């Protein structure tokens, strides 16, 4: 039984009540909020393990809250920018799904959803987050990297990467199928965001892709106009 706290940000009372009742019955602690402002305060005060986010909120867009969350520095705001987020939304088109994921959601479930599927996805996202926070070696297909020794291998053959190439790879591998925005990669790997800096990022991504080209799996995939993801679904 997983007794971690979930923040449920949902402005539809019937949906919120149904989810809160059932998730509580399944052992989670559930904190609810019905608007973006109230949701942000709950993020700061309650430190949930996962956010279930409705996109259409009365006092602001859920996507804007997601942007604000991912841009948090994790210190001043006391909100964890890496908090796992599952978007649960009535906007069910592929475009909306891609947009939600590109903006940093860990998963996206269109309404109407099946409750057992939602619970399975919550557990899967929490498990993935646990794996990330252990800071152990990361393995994606035949690629392996060890954050402690900074060693990287592909099909058991050691690879030589520059410090920035390693940092970029580590960031992408922290969530292998997530699309990372260029601005986020620049900020987190280089610590800055200036006009023209995307060329630096693109050059590093290109070199990294060449070095990983020996795998059957495509690595360092360009998502045009958005950013990069390490690989396709496993
Ligand atoms: Ca809504």
């Amino acid at each position: 039984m997983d007794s971690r706290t979930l923040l449920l940000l949902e402005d539809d009372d019937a949906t919120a009540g149904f989810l809160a009742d059932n998730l509580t019955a399944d052992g989670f602690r559930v904190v609810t909020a019905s608007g973006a402002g109230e949701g942000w305060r709950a993020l700061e005060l309650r430190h949930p393990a996962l956010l279930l986010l409705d996109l259409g909120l009365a006092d602001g867009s859920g996507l804007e809250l997601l942007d604000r969350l991912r841009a948090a520095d994790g210190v001043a705001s006391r909100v964890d920018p890496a908090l796992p987020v599952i978007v649960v939304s009535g906007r069910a088109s592929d475009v909306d799904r891609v947009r939600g994921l590109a903006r940093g959601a860990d998963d996206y479930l269109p309404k109407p959803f099946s409750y057992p599927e939602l619970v399975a996805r919550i557990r899967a996202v929490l498990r993935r987050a646990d794996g990330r926070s252990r800071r152990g070696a990361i393995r994606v297909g035949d690629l392996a990297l060890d954050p402690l020794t900074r060693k990287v291998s592909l099909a058991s053959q050691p690879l030589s990467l520059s410090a920035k190439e390693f940092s970029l790879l580590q960031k992408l591998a922290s969530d292998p199928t997530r699309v990372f925005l260029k601005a986020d990669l620049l900020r987190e790997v280089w610590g800055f965001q200036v006009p023209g800096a995307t060329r630096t990022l693109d050059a590093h991504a290109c070199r990294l892709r060449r070095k990983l080209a020996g795998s059957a799996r495509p690595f360092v995939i360009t998502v045009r106009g958005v950013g990069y993801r390490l690989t396709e679904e496993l």
Side-chain angles (χ1 to χ4, degrees):
M1 197 98 124
D2 196 323
S3 64
R4 280 181 283 184
T5 301
L6 310 179
L7 173 59
L8 173 57
L9 186 41
E10 167 64 71
D11 65 352
D12 179 64
D13 287 344
T15 307
F18 168 81
L19 283 178
D21 287 351
N22 283 281
L23 290 168
T24 302
D26 279 327
F28 294 101
R29 289 197 195 105
V30 180
V31 174
T32 57
S34 59
E38 188 189 352
W40 188 259
R41 282 191 295 283
L43 285 174
E44 291 190 311
L45 298 173
R46 306 296 295 271
H47 301 289
L50 182 142
L51 167 63
L52 283 176
L53 178 64
D54 177 27
L55 290 189
L57 297 170
D59 66 345
S61 149
L63 280 179
E64 282 162 26
L65 182 126
L66 186 55
D67 284 343
R68 190 175 167 202
L69 170 66
R70 291 302 183 228
D73 64 10
V75 182
S77 66
R78 294 183 299 147
V79 171
D80 174 10
L83 178 72
V85 176
I86 299 178
V87 166
V88 182
S89 175
R91 304 179 195 171
S93 76
D94 281 352
V95 173
D96 290 315
R97 182 168 174 274
V98 168
R99 193 175 286 142
L101 293 172
R103 298 275 274 267
D106 295 86
D107 204 349
Y108 189 107
L109 194 59
K111 288 177 183 170
F113 55 85
S114 110
Y115 176 75
E117 183 178 2
L118 175 65
V119 173
R121 291 197 190 201
I122 289 171
R123 296 212 161 104
V125 167
L126 285 173
R127 261 200 311 278
R128 261 165 34 207
D130 289 346
R132 286 204 294 275
S133 63
R134 271 201 301 278
R135 300 253 169 254
I138 301 172
R139 179 168 278 283
V140 183
D142 50 2
L143 170 69
L145 68 155
D146 185 334
L148 296 177
T149 62
R150 299 180 77 82
K151 287 199 170 114
V152 180
S153 67
L154 191 66
S156 305
Q157 297 300 307
L159 283 186
S160 171
L161 301 184
S162 73
K164 286 296 183 218
E165 286 165 2
F166 181 88
S167 298
L168 177 59
L169 177 61
Q170 185 180 5
K171 187 73 213 165
L172 293 174
S174 68
D175 202 342
T177 56
R178 172 173 154 199
V179 179
F180 288 88
L181 304 185
K182 288 188 177 187
D184 292 344
L185 291 170
L186 278 168
R187 193 181 59 246
E188 291 177 35
V189 177
W190 279 269
F192 57 68
Q193 188 187 344
V194 291
T198 57
R199 275 202 301 273
T200 304
L201 168 60
D202 292 339
H204 278 77
C206 185
R207 278 202 297 277
L208 195 52
R209 184 183 299 124
R210 275 204 301 271
K211 289 182 179 182
L212 298 173
S215 174
R217 169 186 291 281
F219 281 121
V220 192
I221 295 164
T222 303
V223 181
R224 204 172 296 280
V226 180
Y228 292 98
R229 71 198 305 191
L230 182 60
T231 191
E232 303 287 356
E233 289 294 329
L234 298 175

